[in-house]
Amino acid sequence: MDKSTPSWMSPPKRRKVRDLLKKFENNRKNTSESVMTYTFNKKRIRLLSNFNDVKENSNGILYWMFRDVRLQDNWAMLFAQRTALKNSLPLHVCFCLMPNFLDASLRYYKFLLKGLMEVEEDCKELNINFHLLHGEPNESVLKFVKKYNMGAVIADFCPLKLPMSWIDDVQKNLPKDVPICQVDAHNIVPCWHASSKQEIAARTIRNKINTKLDEYLTEFPPVVKHPHSTEGKFQSNNWETTLDNVEAGKPEDEIKWAEPGYKSSIRELEDFIETRLKRYAEQRNNPLSNVISNLSPWFHFGMLSVQRCILEIKEHRELYKQSVDSFMEEAIVRKELSDNFCFYNDKYDLVEGAYPWAIETLNKHRKDKRKYIYSLSQLENCQTHDDLWNASQNQMVTMGKMHGFLRMYWAKKILEWTESPEIALEWANYLNNKYSIDGCDPNGYVGCVWSICGIHDHGWGERDIFGKIRYMNYEGCKRKFNVPEFVAKWKQKELDE
């Protein structure tokens, strides 16, 4: 670029995101001083018992990983290492693989396992022990703690009912001298500090989160090579047979467009910043414009920290203010709003969890005549009269991801074509959990209940079936993007091909 080029047209002076990988390679040579000297924000911790004292004469500290499958950029991992260093103890990381999880498919499990294999490799290089457990997590983790005499348990945070029940059960049955806590390593502002109650909408939580970003949106110290080694032998992780006891079904084929693991997520983040971010604000709602981040699989499995993503993307705000602000709204406010809803409302997957006005209007129109009624099998196999809906469903079945704008249309049509709101919500959650690689997630549940039950929305003009729930139709989609082109791209092939 010559000297006459205006400075505002110059690319930002910043490190390549991919340089993070080199940075972490160098950190493996560091001492433990950086982990002990940085100030850890204790508001990230949710104490579930007295955490003042680690159990005496214990053999290690356990980080129970289940939502955030990464070592670096992980506040839970950092707190676990800090605790282990403070007590001069070995550090252990465990992940428990369940036989089945919320209708997730074998494709979902394969993505998860490859990410866990990368975690194991990183642990070996950092002298940290990684254990792949099997069975029900609450039982397997408790058994591990007792068998190997762990001195404390630091666990991930997830607001869904099933993971919350694991935590409650382990807490109740742990030996009294073994403390347990949770660290929210998934959200930038910890869920319990973002708000102390269920929020009505993005407008009511936005300021609560944004005013706390200066405190929480900070750089991460590195996880370093652990100086305390484990004595004795532990059972090795057999990756070749680990799927033998998994009861998940189709789809089985792995997705091709996203590679699991932290390293791959960093490469995708870099590609988004360099090739798509500048067009994000204007074109993100067009399913034919390749401008979305595509980061949701890594976000869901915790292979990429949202905080790391924001730290890198916000450096471009001077160049792409509207796009950066729009992305931060989606990745921080909207995402944390979903966690808020699931954390404070244990009926997040039921119509009864909706607002009174929505329940009232859905009940009022419960018996309205439906022009089309489809079975779950017909929906699952893209067999409706609507070519756009069929193409959207096929996109999700084929690639494990549906464009966010179409997911709203997709879910609302399920309400229109099924016998009741309860069936619509149940089937939408089932299909999303089964086919989306980022399913089984607060964002997925809230996306479905927003579309079908108006959560975080307000009443609109009343109409048949929907009542006052926001309506979307085919003609509206045609005004947004080239529907025939999308349908041609994702039209389902004959089943026997």
Side-chain angles (χ1 to χ4, degrees):
M1 191 169 286
D2 59 39
K3 294 182 179 179
S4 62
T5 303
S7 59
W8 59 267
M9 291 184 61
S10 304
K13 295 181 180 180
R14 61 182 300 282
R15 66 172 181 273
K16 289 276 188 179
V17 178
R18 200 172 299 177
D19 288 345
L20 288 170
L21 302 178
K22 295 180 181 179
K23 170 186 172 183
F24 292 142
E25 289 290 334
N26 294 332
N27 286 338
R28 288 170 178 158
K29 303 174 184 179
N30 291 349
T31 68
S32 60
E33 291 181 4
S34 61
V35 181
M36 295 301 295
T37 56
Y38 79 94
T39 301
F40 189 95
N41 190 335
K42 293 184 179 180
K43 294 179 184 178
R44 298 185 189 277
I45 306 167
R46 182 172 176 240
L47 299 176
L48 303 178
S49 62
N50 185 356
F51 205 81
N52 291 329
D53 298 306
V54 169
K55 178 185 175 182
E56 293 184 3
N57 301 317
S58 58
N59 293 329
I61 300 298
L62 179 64
Y63 166 35
W64 176 10
M65 172 187 288
F66 56 79
R67 194 185 189 190
D68 292 284
V69 183
R70 66 184 186 276
L71 288 195
Q72 301 295 350
D73 301 340
N74 184 334
W75 294 117
M77 180 70 203
L78 284 161
F79 185 67
Q81 183 166 55
R82 185 185 182 95
T83 303
L85 290 169
K86 183 179 179 180
N87 292 275
S88 301
L89 289 171
L91 179 56
H92 297 261
V93 178
C94 78
F95 187 100
C96 186
L97 197 70
M98 300 179 67
N100 53 72
F101 180 67
L102 299 176
D103 299 315
S105 68
L106 199 57
R107 175 168 69 188
Y108 180 101
Y109 271 85
K110 289 178 178 178
F111 193 93
L112 167 63
L113 286 175
K114 283 194 173 181
L116 289 169
M117 291 171 71
E118 183 178 283
V119 170
E120 182 189 49
E121 293 174 2
D122 291 342
C123 282
K124 286 179 180 178
E125 294 187 25
L126 296 175
N127 196 35
I128 297 169
N129 308 276
F130 179 78
H131 312 276
L132 184 65
L133 309 181
H134 298 270
E136 296 300 323
N138 50 324
E139 298 174 359
S140 298
V141 171
L142 187 62
K143 181 179 178 181
F144 183 92
V145 170
K146 292 179 178 179
K147 181 177 181 179
Y148 296 109
N149 191 28
M150 294 291 104
V153 179
I154 291 90
D156 280 342
F157 165 78
C158 179
L160 298 184
K161 286 178 281 191
L162 184 57
M164 292 288 283
S165 72
W166 302 337
I167 290 290
D168 290 342
D169 196 53
V170 169
Q171 175 192 359
K172 292 174 183 176
N173 292 288
L174 271 177
K176 293 182 180 180
D177 55 349
V178 178
I180 179 173
C181 73
Q182 283 183 299
V183 178
D184 189 349
H186 211 77
N187 297 301
I188 296 177
V189 181
C191 186
W192 45 84
H193 281 293
S195 176
S196 60
K197 63 179 182 180
Q198 179 183 322
E199 293 294 334
I200 297 174
R203 60 181 171 79
T204 67
I205 199 174
R206 184 178 293 112
N207 193 52
K208 292 181 179 181
I209 289 175
N210 287 339
T211 55
K212 296 179 176 71
L213 287 181
D214 285 345
E215 177 181 0
Y216 290 101
L217 186 56
T218 59
E219 184 57 77
F220 295 90
V223 176
V224 299
K225 189 167 184 177
H226 202 69
H228 305 291
S229 298
T230 300
E231 296 182 2
K233 293 184 177 181
F234 290 83
Q235 184 175 350
S236 59
N237 302 314
N238 190 341
W239 297 99
E240 294 182 2
T241 63
T242 195
L243 288 176
D244 290 353
N245 296 320
V246 169
E247 299 169 2
K250 295 181 179 180
E252 300 177 359
D253 295 337
E254 298 177 53
I255 61 173
K256 304 297 183 183
W257 61 274
E259 287 293 325
Y262 177 85
K263 297 179 180 65
S264 296
S265 76
I266 291 296
R267 289 189 284 269
E268 188 67 31
L269 172 58
E270 181 181 47
D271 187 66
F272 171 55
I273 290 174
E274 294 185 350
T275 66
R276 307 193 295 278
L277 176 61
K278 61 184 177 182
R279 297 179 291 131
Y280 180 83
E282 295 181 354
Q283 301 180 36
R284 70 182 185 279
N285 285 329
N286 184 342
L288 291 167
S289 296
N290 181 27
V291 301
I292 58 176
S293 72
N294 290 325
L295 295 172
S296 64
W298 294 283
F299 283 161
H300 165 68
F301 288 102
M303 296 172 187
L304 175 65
S305 163
V306 173
Q307 185 157 338
R308 166 56 60 202
C309 182
I310 297 300
L311 285 170
E312 304 305 320
I313 284 176
K314 72 184 185 70
E315 293 188 23
H316 294 267
R317 193 170 184 272
E318 185 175 345
L319 287 177
Y320 314 127
K321 180 182 183 300
Q322 191 175 359
S323 285
V324 170
D325 288 351
S326 295
F327 184 83
M328 290 179 69
E329 168 72 12
E330 295 296 325
I332 304 175
V333 177
R334 300 287 175 165
K335 184 173 175 298
E336 297 205 12
L337 179 63
S338 294
D339 266 33
N340 169 273
F341 180 71
C342 294
F343 186 55
Y344 290 110
N345 188 337
D346 62 4
K347 294 181 179 179
Y348 56 79
D349 55 347
L350 301 171
V351 174
E352 298 95 284
Y355 302 143
W357 72 262
I359 295 174
E360 179 182 355
T361 197
L362 288 170
N363 283 335
K364 180 180 178 181
H365 292 271
R366 181 175 293 275
K367 295 182 180 180
D368 288 0
K369 184 178 179 180
R370 269 79 167 161
K371 185 177 180 180
Y372 302 96
I373 294 286
Y374 293 110
S375 67
L376 177 59
S377 176
Q378 288 173 311
L379 294 171
E380 193 164 5
N381 290 288
C382 315
Q383 295 172 346
T384 79
H385 69 283
D386 184 325
D387 58 359
L388 175 58
W389 194 96
N390 294 342
S392 302
Q393 170 71 11
N394 190 49
Q395 181 187 38
M396 182 169 65
V397 171
T398 303
M399 70 177 294
K401 183 175 175 62
M402 185 190 300
H403 191 280
F405 177 80
L406 285 175
R407 194 178 303 204
M408 297 185 292
Y409 176 79
W410 170 87
K412 286 180 177 295
K413 289 303 169 185
I414 297 177
L415 172 61
E416 189 174 342
W417 299 335
T418 50
E419 294 179 351
S420 71
E422 288 78 12
I423 291 175
L425 186 57
E426 178 185 350
W427 289 1
N429 284 327
Y430 168 78
L431 293 172
N432 187 64
N433 286 349
K434 181 176 181 178
Y435 290 106
S436 289
I437 201 67
D438 61 355
C440 308
D441 190 276
N443 278 342
Y445 284 109
V446 171
C448 290
V449 79
W450 177 89
S451 300
I452 294 170
C453 302
I455 284 296
H456 302 143
D457 204 357
H458 57 84
W460 294 72
E462 194 161 4
R463 62 174 62 240
D464 289 348
I465 302 174
F466 287 82
K468 296 179 181 179
I469 302 296
R470 185 195 298 251
Y471 180 69
M472 291 179 69
N473 64 10
Y474 194 98
E475 292 301 314
C477 291
K478 286 169 66 175
R479 292 191 291 270
K480 287 281 188 180
F481 62 97
N482 189 328
V483 169
E485 182 180 345
F486 180 85
V487 170
K489 181 177 181 180
W490 292 105
K491 185 176 181 180
Q492 187 185 35
K493 298 180 180 179
E494 292 298 326
L495 295 178
D496 58 356
E497 288 185 4

